[in-house]
Amino acid sequence: QVQLVESGGGLVQAGGSLRLSCAASMRPFSAYVMVWFRQAPGKEREFVAGISGSGATTIYADSVKGRFTISRDNANNMVYVQMNSLKPEDSAVYYCASDGRPYVHALLTTTKDYNYWGQGTQVTVSS
């Protein structure tokens, strides 16, 4: 059973940094693509970043490229997103997600591609 638990959200001033964590239950964890999405009030959930099972390949939304870094620790079943130079428009609930299918390597960027979601963690960036 796939379980995902995010942590690390909070309130930060514009220009600041946060690191979000996601603990995952799947094994072997390295077999699973992992992604981060976010959803702001009144907006659709949008893709933020994705990482291949090995960690060798990463992709980012244009809005966060150069500011956010996704990474993973396969030994500890963790995926992270380091968020730097935060802006008020980054405020949202952040979710990690998995499609639950091992050894499927495509890094997809729409919500319909992912079946399993964490509960989310709130990030608020003040101006």
Side-chain angles (χ1 to χ4, degrees):
Q1 178 149 353
V2 175
Q3 292 185 321
L4 302 168
V5 180
E6 303 94 337
S7 61
L11 174 64
V12 63
Q13 289 188 331
S17 298
L18 280 175
R19 188 176 84 151
L20 305 184
S21 302
C22 173
S25 64
M26 307 86 80
R27 296 180 190 275
F29 186 54
S30 60
Y32 296 85
V33 163
M34 294 297 297
V35 294
W36 286 93
F37 280 74
R38 67 185 181 187
Q39 188 167 20
K43 295 189 176 181
E44 293 189 354
R45 195 168 296 190
E46 64 174 3
F47 174 79
V48 174
I51 188 166
S52 63
S54 68
T57 302
T58 57
I59 59 172
Y60 297 92
D62 287 344
S63 59
V64 307
K65 206 171 290 184
R67 300 187 298 121
F68 289 15
T69 303
I70 189 171
S71 62
R72 64 191 298 156
D73 176 355
N74 284 341
N76 290 297
N77 279 45
M78 298 292 295
V79 63
Y80 307 99
V81 59
Q82 176 68 42
M83 308 186 296
N84 298 329
S85 302
L86 282 162
K87 305 175 182 180
E89 51 264 43
D90 294 317
S91 297
V93 178
Y94 283 71
Y95 300 89
C96 64
S98 168
D99 64 6
R101 298 181 296 166
Y103 307 111
V104 174
H105 303 294
L107 275 166
L108 303 174
T109 62
T110 60
T111 56
K112 65 178 179 60
D113 297 310
Y114 297 94
N115 299 316
Y116 299 96
W117 299 82
Q119 83 288 352
T121 186
Q122 176 72 49
V123 171
T124 304
V125 184
S126 64
S127 57

